[in-house]
Amino acid sequence: MHSNVFSRKYAAARRGAIALDFNHLNKVQREAVMTTEGPLLLLAGAGSGKTTVLINRIANLLKYGCGSDTDFVPAGVSDDDLHFLEEYLSAPSDASRVRLRQLCAVEPAEPWRIIAITFTNKAAGELKDRLEKMLGTGADDIWAMTFHSACARILRRHIDKLGYDRSFTIYDTSDTASLMKRILKDLDIEERNFPHRTVLGYISRAKDAMISAEEFYSSAESTADMRRRIIGRAYLDYSERLKSANALDFDDLILLAVRLFQEHPDVAQLYQNKFKYVLIDEYQDTNNLQYLLASELSGGHGNICAVGDDDQSIYKFRGATIENILSFERQFTNARVIRLEQNYRSTGLILDAASDVIRNNKGRKGKKLWTEKQPGEKPVMYVKADEREEAQLVADTIIASVADGRQWHEHAVLYRLNAQSNQLETAFKRSGVPFRIVGGMGFYDRAEIKDMLAYLCVLHNPDDNLRLLRIINQPPRGIGPTTVGRLTEIAARSGRPIFEIIRESQNHESLKSAAAKLHSFADMVDDLRELADIAPLDELYDTLLARCAYIEMLKEKKSDENISRIENVWELKTNIISFLNENGGSLFDFLSETALYTDLDRDDHGSDRVMMMTMHSAKGLEFDTVFIVGAEEGVFPGARAVGQPDEMEEERRLCYVAMTRAMRRLVFMSARRRMLFGKTTSAMPSRFVREISSDNIDVFEPFSPFGGFGYDFSEGFQRSGGPDAHINRPSNGKTAEIPWQKHSQSTASQRASFSTCDSSPDDKLPNFKKGDTVEHKKFGRGFITDLKPGGGDVLIEIAFENEGTRRMLLKSVARYLSQIENEE
């Protein structure tokens, strides 16, 4: 029996020795790694190295267990052991590592007793890769995966307890959209009145609240709300069709896992005993179901570590609730909170500007990011006349940056609305800037890939009516819409899967004429299903292509598009082989992984292109230079957030996320007038930019004789620049000046040059300059933005206050304005 004094000294020495293993971390990171027991909330600020903390925390759990976070001293520890630890602290030696581990380890965790859950396959993949580099092959047994992947694995073993078959398939977002469109059509509901996305949104929120289709329908039918009643019927039909197809959508994966634990305590206990340590990344983005899942998984040992940042909670529209992270200490008794505030990504001035913005939110726990980096360049704000000039300035600035040695991919353009990419694309193409839009069609969204995956899904689960109907006549095999309609009708009337009706089609009078073709299709599926049980997945795919004649169909019509489609079909085999090499697993595992892919998981990191994306898509990424375009009231923040405190705080968090993606250079862009969705509006600069101290941002606004946006620019930020400001255009070797000027009127002599010029075409043209004020009888007041000599005349570009930018010949303008001046 050790004395209290000995135990305290030994525990302190053990903690010190373990800490030396993590000397490469900063003090707070090390504290987070060594706090292993009980509930822990890591408030990890942007760029604070949270993934590094997660990796090292798992390494500590595997190597030392709870040794760094307990005062327990095992029996048999001697004074000599304490002396060894104290000597090691004063003079660490690699020769002592074996004995050190023996003395410091207290119940080290086996890899399979740790589950680390994140939101995207990309993040889970990075976690696995870094764990493998640090820990070797032992890392393979750690459950490092997404919420949906973890639930899919659990349900695969136990979903039969909920009345499903274990061979279930997963519907991705495009599948659920197709299914809902079909349901609404069957209910004779027009898409324009009830968009399928809106209906699916209601269903998703109901599932998050654990409201079943039957409960929702019953509640809706008892009201006079016709809209809710229609959605209730759609939800009920949607749920029944999914169950009939033995299919789950993304929400079902988590919902059914939670139901499984709640309705079957023996299953819950199995996983609670299995997982001694539960780690949840991006906790601020969790919804109600994900909170319940995390609570259930950690219910055995109580060791839950939630990593997140309340200032980066930006997915309310997906059901995420910031309340999960704000109330963590109330939900988990005796929880500890550690703040990771040192930033390793951004310069000091960028962090100061971001802090200026986010401190205006009330619903936050509070922290202040800091860095050991230099202050760096001040963030800037450029105000342009319209969205076209805004886009061109972004292109010009990127070109100049690349000319100075930066790479294209080091630049990102972030916007609030996808529609804003239109003018940017045009400007980039015109200027020769290579770019990629995140959110465009990905590999797994292409029709030919969806077709081949549908075949594989049917081989795995022939009850999947949605995928079956996609491929039953693809390639054409003489099974037309009339036959498909009859199949669907008979299946619906009998409550059986369509594939069963196909097998017995000769027994149905309305199907007898097509029975031979239907049997041929069924025989192919059955043969391939038998092969799936014994053949490797890549061989199964080869045989599928040979039997279904899909490539032959594409070859019949030779075109560049079909050649590309054939290449994509074969490229899917590359993905299958890569999956087998990296993960192994069955057809079910492959289909589950592909169904849970996101656009960012598919990102092409090897190409040197400017990245264009919404601010939501940028979360978790970082770039040398970030442009935030459309920083105007009504665009960002959006008009719907105005007057709604919670919505405005979410928009402000989105701004904070966008700003903290920048490592070295942060540029805001704003337009006086912007056309969106066919409508032109004028707007003030975003309140978020106005919340930034003038010490932390420079604002460049174009010269305008008719004032700014109707408020004092000295409040919140300052204007900068002058008539000589410019950027380089290396594409043509010339310099394009940008008229960033403080407010000032044209001089009397400049205006006089308008009124006294001779109207003769042969006379010398007046010496006008950029920034000069003009007056036009039809277009009103404006100022000169560009002049280009040529052909004995000058093409003059004028930005008018109410009519936008116009181009005209200077001789004609001078004569016309001369007449106006003479009238005055």
Side-chain angles (χ1 to χ4, degrees):
M1 186 75 176
H2 301 296
S3 69
N4 289 337
V5 174
F6 177 87
S7 294
R8 285 196 299 272
K9 290 179 67 175
Y10 187 88
R14 181 174 61 201
R15 274 192 290 271
I18 294 174
L20 289 177
D21 260 18
F22 303 101
N23 258 351
H24 57 288
L25 304 176
N26 67 42
K27 181 180 178 181
V28 181
Q29 288 177 329
R30 194 158 53 246
E31 180 187 0
V33 165
M34 296 175 63
T35 303
T36 63
E37 304 308 295
L40 172 66
L41 175 62
L42 295 182
L43 285 176
S48 61
K50 70 179 177 67
T51 305
T52 296
V53 170
L54 278 175
I55 299 297
N56 283 274
R57 192 170 191 274
I58 292 173
N60 182 37
L61 294 172
L62 295 175
K63 192 172 184 179
Y64 298 116
C66 62
S68 60
D69 198 26
T70 181
D71 290 334
F72 170 76
V73 177
V77 173
S78 65
D79 289 335
D80 182 58
D81 293 328
L82 175 59
H83 180 68
F84 170 83
L85 288 178
E86 291 175 337
E87 285 216 335
Y88 179 82
L89 288 174
S90 60
S93 168
D94 288 340
S96 310
R97 302 297 295 175
V98 175
R99 185 181 179 189
L100 177 74
R101 184 166 184 175
Q102 292 173 340
L103 295 178
C104 291
V106 179
E107 300 179 2
E110 298 89 347
W112 55 88
R113 303 200 67 190
I114 298 174
I115 181 169
I117 301 178
T118 186
F119 272 81
T120 67
N121 288 304
K122 176 189 170 189
E126 180 185 357
L127 200 59
K128 287 179 182 177
D129 290 343
R130 292 179 62 175
L131 282 170
E132 188 172 344
K133 288 177 182 176
M134 176 178 282
L135 306 172
T137 55
D140 294 341
D141 293 326
I142 296 170
W143 279 43
M145 57 188 63
T146 65
F147 274 102
H148 294 110
S149 297
C151 290
R153 182 179 292 190
I154 292 169
L155 291 173
R156 188 183 181 191
R157 291 186 58 187
H158 308 285
I159 197 171
D160 54 315
K161 293 180 180 292
L162 298 176
Y164 288 79
D165 190 276
R166 293 185 182 183
S167 64
F168 64 88
T169 51
I170 301 170
Y171 282 6
D172 63 17
T173 51
S174 63
D175 295 324
T176 56
S178 297
L179 179 57
M180 183 52 67
K181 287 178 182 178
R182 185 170 298 161
I183 289 171
L184 294 175
K185 183 178 180 181
D186 292 344
L187 292 175
D188 199 24
I189 296 170
E190 294 189 18
E191 173 80 12
R192 64 184 180 184
N193 296 328
F194 286 86
H196 71 277
R197 293 179 185 274
T198 300
V199 178
L200 287 170
Y202 273 93
I203 293 173
S204 181
R205 289 189 289 274
K207 289 184 177 182
D208 187 47
M210 299 194 72
I211 300 173
S212 69
E214 293 77 12
E215 290 171 329
F216 190 99
Y217 175 76
S218 177
S219 172
E221 286 294 301
S222 65
T223 71
D225 186 342
M226 184 55 64
R227 180 181 181 84
R228 188 170 179 84
R229 294 173 72 175
I230 290 174
I231 292 172
R233 287 199 290 272
Y235 184 9
L236 190 63
D237 199 348
Y238 178 78
S239 179
E240 289 173 350
R241 295 197 194 193
L242 281 175
K243 184 69 181 294
S244 175
N246 197 39
L248 310 181
D249 64 16
F250 288 169
D251 292 320
D252 287 331
L253 288 170
I254 304 178
L255 172 62
L256 294 185
V258 171
R259 273 188 53 201
L260 181 69
F261 290 152
Q262 291 182 346
E263 297 174 14
H264 299 274
D266 57 322
V267 179
Q269 188 175 11
L270 174 68
Y271 286 95
Q272 287 169 356
N273 291 336
K274 174 183 177 65
F275 297 124
K276 186 175 181 180
Y277 295 100
V278 177
L279 297 89
I280 310 290
D281 194 12
E282 303 289 4
Y283 194 71
Q284 77 281 346
D285 294 332
T286 54
N287 59 23
N288 178 58
L289 282 176
Q290 289 160 337
Y291 156 70
L292 291 174
L293 180 70
S295 182
E296 288 285 349
L297 287 173
S298 61
H301 299 275
N303 297 324
I304 180 172
C305 173
V307 185
D309 182 2
D310 52 314
D311 290 335
Q312 296 188 71
S313 179
I314 59 173
Y315 293 119
K316 184 178 180 181
F317 68 97
R318 293 182 185 170
T321 171
I322 192 173
E323 185 60 27
N324 284 347
I325 194 168
L326 294 179
S327 61
F328 184 86
E329 296 102 311
R330 294 197 303 273
Q331 294 167 338
F332 297 95
T333 307
N334 299 322
R336 289 179 276 185
V337 179
I338 296 175
R339 287 172 167 80
L340 302 177
E341 298 175 306
Q342 183 174 356
N343 178 282
Y344 293 91
R345 175 187 299 152
S346 306
T347 59
L349 281 169
I350 291 175
L351 295 181
D352 289 344
S355 295
D356 285 345
V357 173
I358 200 62
R359 69 163 58 99
N360 290 279
N361 271 7
K362 295 179 179 178
R364 61 189 297 257
K365 286 182 169 291
K367 62 184 170 305
K368 178 70 165 69
L369 294 184
W370 60 278
T371 182
E372 292 180 346
K373 289 186 176 183
Q374 295 297 316
E377 294 184 26
K378 237 187 199 184
V380 295
M381 164 78 155
Y382 290 118
V383 182
K384 295 296 289 181
D386 56 31
E387 72 277 2
R388 291 169 296 179
E389 291 188 11
E390 174 192 64
Q392 191 58 54
L393 179 57
V394 173
D396 292 343
T397 307
I398 292 174
I399 291 171
S401 177
V402 170
D404 288 338
R406 301 284 169 183
Q407 301 295 309
W408 297 111
H409 70 264
E410 293 182 87
H411 305 81
V413 185
L414 310 184
Y415 35 80
R416 182 64 180 87
L417 305 169
N418 277 307
Q420 291 175 253
S421 69
N422 184 23
Q423 289 297 328
L424 290 160
E425 290 182 65
T426 300
F428 284 1
K429 289 175 181 176
R430 183 171 57 237
S431 302
V433 175
F435 65 92
R436 174 180 185 261
I437 299 177
V438 173
M441 180 175 288
F443 180 74
Y444 287 100
D445 297 321
R446 300 182 184 280
E448 60 274 16
I449 300 303
K450 298 289 288 184
D451 287 342
M452 300 319 302
L453 289 175
Y455 269 104
L456 292 174
C457 284
V458 170
L459 299 186
H460 169 66
N461 173 22
D463 294 347
D464 189 340
N465 291 341
L466 184 72
R467 270 64 174 264
L468 180 70
L469 292 177
R470 182 182 182 99
I471 55 135
I472 192 170
N473 201 43
Q474 183 72 340
R477 46 178 64 92
I479 305 174
T482 301
T483 301
V484 170
R486 291 169 180 169
L487 282 169
T488 304
E489 181 184 351
I490 295 170
R493 192 168 59 241
S494 63
R496 297 159 63 198
I498 291 175
F499 193 68
E500 288 187 15
I501 309 302
I502 292 175
R503 281 196 178 112
E504 58 177 46
S505 54
Q506 75 282 356
N507 299 329
H508 298 274
E509 188 65 33
S510 62
L511 296 175
K512 282 185 177 179
S513 60
K517 296 170 184 175
L518 291 172
H519 284 164
S520 177
F521 173 73
D523 290 343
M524 177 189 71
V525 172
D526 285 333
D527 290 347
L528 290 170
R529 292 194 73 212
E530 289 181 11
L531 182 64
D533 292 334
I534 57 175
L537 188 52
D538 54 337
E539 291 184 17
L540 172 66
Y541 188 67
D542 287 339
T543 307
L544 168 62
L545 291 179
R547 289 290 302 272
C548 76
Y550 192 90
I551 288 181
E552 285 69 16
M553 174 192 70
L554 295 177
K555 287 180 177 178
E556 286 178 5
K557 185 178 180 181
K558 294 183 179 180
S559 66
D560 291 341
E561 181 183 1
N562 274 6
I563 291 173
S564 176
R565 295 180 70 189
I566 292 171
E567 291 172 349
N568 288 335
V569 170
W570 283 116
E571 183 62 19
L572 181 59
K573 183 179 178 182
T574 301
N575 292 14
I576 290 172
I577 293 173
S578 298
F579 169 80
L580 292 174
N581 291 338
E582 293 174 10
N583 306 294
S586 64
L587 174 59
F588 172 88
D589 298 321
F590 175 73
L591 293 174
S592 296
E593 178 169 291
T594 55
L596 299 177
Y597 255 44
T598 67
D599 186 62
L600 284 176
D601 294 326
R602 299 187 287 263
D603 186 21
D604 180 6
H605 296 281
S607 58
D608 189 19
R609 292 177 287 177
V610 175
M611 299 291 283
M612 293 169 55
M613 66 189 79
T614 64
M615 299 173 198
H616 284 97
S617 298
K619 183 138 183 315
L621 305 178
E622 61 183 27
F623 304 92
D624 174 84
T625 300
V626 168
F627 297 86
I628 299 176
V629 298
E632 304 135 28
E633 293 290 303
V635 177
F636 186 50
R640 286 183 294 183
V642 177
Q644 304 293 327
D646 289 346
E647 298 294 332
M648 188 58 70
E649 293 215 347
E650 176 111 349
E651 290 281 287
R652 189 173 282 110
R653 290 193 293 269
L654 185 58
C655 184
Y656 176 80
V657 167
M659 294 173 72
T660 53
R661 301 310 95 196
M663 301 167 67
R664 182 183 64 89
R665 190 179 185 194
L666 175 62
V667 181
F668 284 94
M669 302 292 294
S670 176
R672 294 180 181 276
R673 296 176 306 280
R674 182 178 301 276
M675 178 179 285
L676 270 177
F677 312 117
K679 182 180 179 181
T680 300
T681 56
S682 299
M684 295 169 59
S686 170
R687 70 188 66 195
F688 302 146
V689 180
R690 286 180 277 141
E691 288 169 353
I692 301 173
S693 163
S694 60
D695 294 332
N696 297 325
I697 191 169
D698 284 335
V699 177
F700 296 83
E701 74 169 318
F703 173 84
S704 173
F706 17 85
F709 285 85
Y711 66 92
D712 186 356
F713 271 83
S714 64
E715 292 294 325
F717 53 67
Q718 65 187 23
R719 290 174 288 129
S720 303
D724 296 325
H726 68 273
I727 59 172
N728 291 322
R729 294 288 301 275
S731 58
N732 56 17
K734 298 180 181 179
T735 297
E737 295 184 1
I738 303 175
W740 304 120
Q741 302 185 33
K742 295 182 179 180
H743 288 304
S744 62
Q745 297 290 342
S746 301
T747 64
S749 61
Q750 287 173 330
R751 290 184 62 81
S753 65
F754 270 102
S755 60
T756 59
C757 66
D758 195 311
S759 61
S760 170
D762 297 325
D763 287 339
K764 183 179 179 181
L765 291 173
N767 184 26
F768 295 157
K769 299 177 182 177
K770 292 181 183 180
D772 286 351
T773 304
V774 299
E775 193 80 31
H776 193 284
K777 189 172 183 179
K778 180 179 179 181
F779 301 136
R781 188 178 294 268
F783 68 97
I784 297 174
T785 59
D786 198 14
L787 301 100
K788 294 181 179 178
D793 207 334
V794 176
L795 181 66
I796 182 170
E797 183 179 275
I798 305 174
F800 290 100
E801 183 175 6
N802 297 316
E803 298 294 331
T805 300
R806 302 274 180 165
R807 293 180 177 87
M808 51 195 77
L809 292 174
L810 183 52
K811 285 183 180 179
S812 301
V813 175
R815 286 197 301 270
Y816 189 49
L817 291 176
S818 174
Q819 294 170 359
I820 294 173
E821 293 288 344
N822 290 335
E823 291 172 4
E824 295 178 348

